[in-house]
């Protein structure tokens, strides 16, 4: 007959306890740590007091694998189209919140915040708005009603609004939009005031592309921000879209530009980030793209009031780039099969992850 020594008994008891600890997720040894899920981009950004977000759009919300990653990797969501004027007020005075609500509700289920986008823009306007002439009084009333109604609908449900989108030309002059031509430059201050009245707690932004570096266009926003501050107009931040392209060079003055807006007491955010390239993809281009994503992130982290980064959707599968820039693409940190690319690992590295 086999006998069990006290030492063997102790070993068996220790082994059983270890198994119980591992099963309960309480073990802390190397084997258990190897199974721990690595932190997400959002969790890494939160360590720096920032958010890391993604845009999304309603058609792709039927893709289960896509929405699973969208819901787990990010802590801020931007509706790519669902809150724009053509979607929310397709007929004058008739409002449709279906698309915006779908994304807000998705974000709430995933414990994510929402950057609402956008109230005043020259593009994607409904035909009823663009097919006729308006007097200044008429258009002002239409604009006020739209802003007030939409912001009130989402009051308490969104973190911020891109109130006015793409108001300037590349040379720093005002873009000749329906709003500017009919109402003059004062429409921007009015829009900000109306949005603040409708939701005093939402952060209010001006948002544009090609303002990442210092230059005529970003200078125009800097002057406008100064003027709005002098008038007491509510403005919380400047959104730098950061739609970049490898062939045009990196905005080397980004960090300085972020810092000068912060000196005005404004937050900044990188709001629509993608880094496109001329196809086909090569290892060299992918490495350069990764470096740019790292540099963008490090620039934001270096400026205290740069509050977060949003990629303009996270996967090449749903990128807007190929449709608008033929022959270009591969702009996002995940590929079309939702596999992370070098850019993703560069983001992790910049945020202090592995």
């Amino acid at each position: 007959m086999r006998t069990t020594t006290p030492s063997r008994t102790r070993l068996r008891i220790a082994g059983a306890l270890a198994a119980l600890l591992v099963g309960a997720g309480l073990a802390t040894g190397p084997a258990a740590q190897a199974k721990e899920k690595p932190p997400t981009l959002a969790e890494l950004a939160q360590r720096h007091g920032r958010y890391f977000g993604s845009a999304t759009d309603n058609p792709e919300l039927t893709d289960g694998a896509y929405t699973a990653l969208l819901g787990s990797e990010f802590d801020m969501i931007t509706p790519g189209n669902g809150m724009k004027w053509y979607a929310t007020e397709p007929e004058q005075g008739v409002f449709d919140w279906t698309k915006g609500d779908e994304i807000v509700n998705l974000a709430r289920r995933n414990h994510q915040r929402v950057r609402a986008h956008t109230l005043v823009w020259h593009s994607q306007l409904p035909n009823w708005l663009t097919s006729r002439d308006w007097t200044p009084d008429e258009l002002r009333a239409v604009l006020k009603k739209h802003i007030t109604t939409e912001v009130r609908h989402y009051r308490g449900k969104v973190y911020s609004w891109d109130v006015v989108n793409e108001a300037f030309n590349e040379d720093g002059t005002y873009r000749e939009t329906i709003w500017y031509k009919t109402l003059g430059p004062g429409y921007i201050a009015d829009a900000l005031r109306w949005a603040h009245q409708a939701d005093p707690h939402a952060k209010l932004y001006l948002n544009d592309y090609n303002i990442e570096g210092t230059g005529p266009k970003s200078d125009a926003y800097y002057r406008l921000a100064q003027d709005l501050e002098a008038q007491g107009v509510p403005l919380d931040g400047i959104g730098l879209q950061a739609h970049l392209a490898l062939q045009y060079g990196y905005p080397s003055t980004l960090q300085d530009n972020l810092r000068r807006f912060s000196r005005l007491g404004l937050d900044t955010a990188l709001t629509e980030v993608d880094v496109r390239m001329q196809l086909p993809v090569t290892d060299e281009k992918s490495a350069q793209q990764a470096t740019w994503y790292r540099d963008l992130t490090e620039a934001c982290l270096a400026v205290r009031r740069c509050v977060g980064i949003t990629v303009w959707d996270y996967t090449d599968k749903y990128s807007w780039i190929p449709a608008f820039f033929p022959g270009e693409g591969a702009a996002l940190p995940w590929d079309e099969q939702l596999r992370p690319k070098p850019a993703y690992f560069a983001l992790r590295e910049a945020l202090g992850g592995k």
Side-chain angles (χ1 to χ4, degrees):
M1 186 171 100
R2 285 181 66 185
T3 59
T4 303
T5 65
S7 60
R8 284 182 180 174
T9 301
R10 286 194 295 271
L11 284 172
R12 287 176 181 174
I13 293 171
L17 284 171
L20 285 170
L21 288 171
V22 169
L26 299 176
T28 58
Q33 291 174 355
K35 294 182 180 180
E36 290 180 2
K37 186 178 178 182
T40 64
L41 293 179
E43 289 166 343
L44 291 171
Q46 288 164 12
R47 296 175 183 178
H48 301 275
R50 310 304 202 274
Y51 65 79
F52 203 100
S54 175
T56 191
D57 205 4
N58 300 81
E60 54 251 40
L61 298 184
T62 59
D63 182 339
Y66 165 84
T67 56
L69 192 52
L70 179 72
S72 63
E73 189 73 32
F74 307 99
D75 60 350
M76 188 75 74
I77 299 295
T78 302
N81 290 295
M83 292 183 176
K84 291 174 180 174
W85 201 310
Y86 82 102
T88 56
E89 195 178 357
E91 301 176 47
Q92 186 173 3
V94 178
F95 291 87
D96 183 352
W97 311 117
T98 306
K99 290 183 171 62
D101 284 357
E102 183 181 21
I103 292 175
V104 168
N105 291 336
L106 176 71
R108 295 181 80 174
R109 287 196 300 272
N110 291 324
H111 308 288
Q112 297 162 313
R113 293 182 294 170
V114 176
R115 289 197 82 259
H117 174 84
T118 175
L119 294 170
V120 188
W121 194 27
H122 63 274
S123 186
Q124 293 180 264
L125 297 173
N127 185 63
W128 66 263
L129 187 56
T130 59
S131 62
R132 56 157 289 184
D133 293 327
W134 302 88
T135 68
D137 286 344
E138 289 173 335
L139 190 61
R140 180 180 166 86
V142 165
L143 182 60
K144 182 177 182 180
K145 181 177 182 180
H146 179 84
I147 291 173
T148 301
T149 304
E150 183 164 9
V151 176
R152 280 179 179 168
H153 177 78
Y154 290 110
R155 179 172 177 163
K157 300 177 183 178
V158 303
Y159 161 76
S160 66
W161 277 101
D162 289 333
V163 178
V164 179
N165 197 46
E166 300 175 3
F168 287 103
N169 295 312
E170 296 304 301
D171 63 359
T173 59
Y174 281 98
R175 188 188 289 268
E176 295 281 328
T177 67
I178 180 176
W179 315 113
Y180 179 78
K181 289 190 292 185
T182 308
L183 302 175
Y187 82 90
I188 297 174
D190 286 339
L192 290 163
R193 291 189 183 103
W194 295 330
H196 180 70
Q197 290 166 4
D199 185 354
H201 300 294
K203 299 284 188 180
L204 306 182
Y205 278 73
L206 304 178
N207 189 56
D208 213 326
Y209 64 92
N210 284 355
I211 61 168
E212 296 75 34
T214 54
K217 196 173 186 180
S218 59
D219 289 349
Y221 275 99
Y222 186 81
R223 290 191 298 270
L224 174 61
Q226 289 178 309
D227 291 344
L228 293 171
E229 181 182 24
Q231 297 173 49
V233 177
L235 174 66
D236 297 294
I238 301 294
L240 295 78
Q241 293 181 12
H243 291 298
L244 305 183
L246 294 183
Q247 64 269 30
Y248 299 129
Y250 181 81
S252 59
T253 54
L254 171 61
Q255 187 171 318
D256 291 337
N257 199 31
L258 294 170
R259 188 164 281 117
R260 70 167 172 165
F261 283 111
S262 72
R263 292 193 186 107
L264 293 179
L266 296 173
D267 289 343
T268 55
L270 305 180
T271 56
E272 305 184 19
V273 179
D274 48 32
V275 181
R276 67 186 188 268
M277 63 183 69
Q278 294 174 324
L279 301 176
V281 177
T282 65
D283 290 345
E284 182 181 6
K285 292 176 187 175
S286 293
Q288 185 182 6
Q289 179 188 65
T291 298
W292 285 25
Y293 269 104
R294 182 188 300 108
D295 291 348
L296 284 169
T297 303
E298 289 176 348
C300 182
L301 295 180
V303 179
R304 183 178 59 83
R305 296 201 66 163
C306 182
V307 297
I309 299 168
T310 297
V311 289
W312 205 239
D313 224 321
Y314 70 86
T315 167
D316 294 334
K317 184 176 183 179
Y318 297 118
S319 174
W320 70 293
I321 295 296
F324 285 83
F325 299 96
E328 299 180 44
L332 293 164
W334 281 261
D335 69 13
E336 293 183 2
Q337 287 73 45
L338 307 186
R339 295 176 304 206
K341 295 157 58 175
Y344 165 77
F345 295 103
L347 288 169
R348 294 188 63 84
E349 182 182 333
L351 292 167
K354 295 181 179 179

